[in-house]
């Protein structure tokens, strides 16, 4: 059996940081060793030549090894939508997104985009993502087939939408249910695949479709649920017109039994006091999508208020409303959103969100999101000096928290030296 030791500086969270000075929240090894066997981490500690005997040692010094980055919300079918000019969400959806998603009904398109999508994830150090596919079941097959080929832990599902979109993108309450059920049978729990029941949002689902979603959740409690919540003023107003009985936007999903610890609510920007409390009580996850929220002018996520209320929080790119596949770019924009709200979002808290925090959001913290014995060996190797201007700035940096802040402020795919997926090098093997 081959044993591999990755030698590098090692950084991983143990707990959620209480702020920039919380050195107890993480483990940092100046000359560390991550030992991998059969795709799993079996030991982490200071590097010792005696322990290395008989192992293959890969020396990544002076780079930093961290857990692979996790993206809690994106649309892989929108890879060719990024950077489309529009005033706001609903115009953007109709002018570009719904047009592009129709192409996933064409033979071969989903497989081609899935290949490019996974290449980009790996280039950027993202080892797990939660994805919306298109309405077409073939787009889900292409997604999980490509993920399996690369042995990546991925969450995804077929978007369900039965109104307020072009005819070619609509399913019905019944066909959406049948297709999702067949896809769950085909993919849920196969290898590293996890299925997400994905009614797009209240505007594009009739009450009958949300009822069908409720039935799926009851039948398949092991699956995730993902949808969009309170992203944009016009979206909120229209949702309330369509569901006049609901207490508020979250109340729509609540009325159909769609909240819980496996529910991921993209955006969650404009929430009332009641909505924040119901999210906290149900354990539903608010997913912060900073590049998208700024790009579409949707609003400023209220991290501090939701955190204080006890809402579980994750962070994501929201490709293609989001403007970068890079979680480093995403953390940078997240910091700026907090700045505009006069809130403190320290680099420790940002990197926590992108690793252990998002893993906890998925309830998969026993498998991913940290570097510890027993975890899957999904790792990213970051070089804070790979970009020339960053190398210059690194000369004045002291301490790992400052270095993380520089990585999120100036870093991108160039900062990602290597990515390990279940112990196998993936980035340097890209074509
Ligand atoms: N709300 C419903 N669908 C979408 C989508 O594709 N992107 C974003 N940003 N918001 C949505
Ligand atoms: Zn989205």
């Amino acid at each position: 059996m081959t044993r591999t030791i990755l030698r590098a500086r090692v950084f991983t969270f143990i707990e959620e940081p209480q702020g920039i000075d919380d050195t107890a929240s993480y483990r940092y090894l100046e000359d560390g060793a991550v030992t991998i066997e059969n795709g799993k981490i079996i030991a982490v500690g200071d590097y010792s030549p005696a322990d290395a005997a008989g192992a293959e040692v890969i020396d990544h010094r002076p780079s930093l090894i961290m857990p692979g980055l996790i993206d809690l919300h994106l649309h892989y079918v929108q890879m060719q939508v990024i950077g489309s000019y529009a005033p706001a969400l609903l115009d953007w959806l109709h002018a570009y997104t719904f047009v592009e998603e129709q192409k996933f009904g064409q033979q071969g398109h989903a497989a081609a985009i899935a290949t490019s999508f996974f290449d980009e994830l790996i280039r950027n150090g993202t080892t797990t993502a939660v994805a919306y596919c298109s309405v077409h079941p073939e787009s889900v097959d292409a997604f999980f087939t490509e993920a399996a080929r690369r042995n990546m832990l991925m969450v995804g599902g077929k978007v369900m939408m039965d109104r307020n979109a072009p005819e070619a993108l609509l399913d019905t309450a019944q066909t959406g249910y049948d297709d999702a059920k067949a896809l769950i049978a085909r993919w849920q729990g196969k290898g590293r695949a996890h299925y997400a029941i994905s009614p797009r949002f209240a505007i594009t689902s009739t009450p009958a479709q949300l009822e069908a979603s409720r039935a799926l959740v009851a039948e398949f409690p092991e699956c995730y649920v993902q949808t969009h919540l309170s992203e944009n003023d016009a979206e909120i107003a229209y949702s309330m017109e369509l569901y006049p009985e609901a207490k508020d936007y979250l109340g729509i999903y609540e009325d159909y039994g769609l909240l819980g610890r496996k529910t991921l609510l993209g955006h969650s920007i404009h929430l009332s006091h009641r909505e924040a409390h119901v999210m906290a009580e149900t354990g539903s996850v608010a997913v912060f999508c900073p590049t998208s929220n700024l790009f579409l002018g949707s609003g400023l996520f209220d991290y501090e208020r939701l955190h204080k209320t006890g809402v579980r929080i994750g962070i994501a790119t929201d490709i293609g409303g989001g403007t970068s596949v890079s979680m480093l770019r995403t953390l940078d924009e997240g910091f700026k959103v907090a700045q505009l709200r006069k809130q403190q979002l320290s680099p420790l808290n940002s990197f926590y969100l992108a690793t252990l925090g998002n893993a906890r959001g998925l309830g998969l913290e026993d498998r991913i999101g940290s570097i510890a014995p027993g975890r899957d060996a999904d790792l990213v190797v970051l070089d804070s000096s790979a970009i020339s201007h960053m190398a210059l700035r690194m000369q004045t940096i002291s301490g790992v928290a400052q270095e993380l802040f520089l990585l999120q402020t100036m870093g991108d795919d160039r900062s990602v030296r290597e990515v390990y997926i279940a112990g196998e090098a993936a980035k340097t093997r890209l074509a």
Side-chain angles (χ1 to χ4, degrees), residues 75 78 89 92-93 97 101 200-201 228 231 235 267 292 296 318 321:
H75 303 253
Q78 294 175 16
L89 172 68
W92 172 85
L93 273 178
T97 309
E101 290 191 14
R200 185 173 206 125
F201 65 160
H228 295 82
E231 178 175 4
E235 172 218 14
H267 305 285
S292 171
L296 292 171
D318 188 32

Side-chain angles (χ1 to χ4, degrees), residues 70-74 264-269 279 285-294 299-304 306 312-318 327 330-339 341 343 345 349-350 353 358:
I70 302 171
D71 187 338
L72 223 56
H73 176 128
L74 57 75
L264 309 170
L265 297 166
H267 305 285
S268 300
I269 302 171
M279 286 190 68
V285 180
V287 186
F288 180 20
C289 304
T291 71
S292 171
N293 296 345
L294 293 172
L300 304 176
F301 184 84
D302 199 342
Y303 175 85
E304 202 168 277
L306 295 186
R312 300 166 74 216
I313 298 172
I315 194 161
T317 62
D318 188 32
M327 288 302 293
T330 302
L331 298 185
D332 181 38
E333 301 284 291
F335 171 74
K336 291 170 188 171
V337 168
Q339 288 288 87
R341 280 213 175 259
Q343 297 180 358
L345 186 55
N349 292 86
S350 295
L353 282 175
N358 275 353

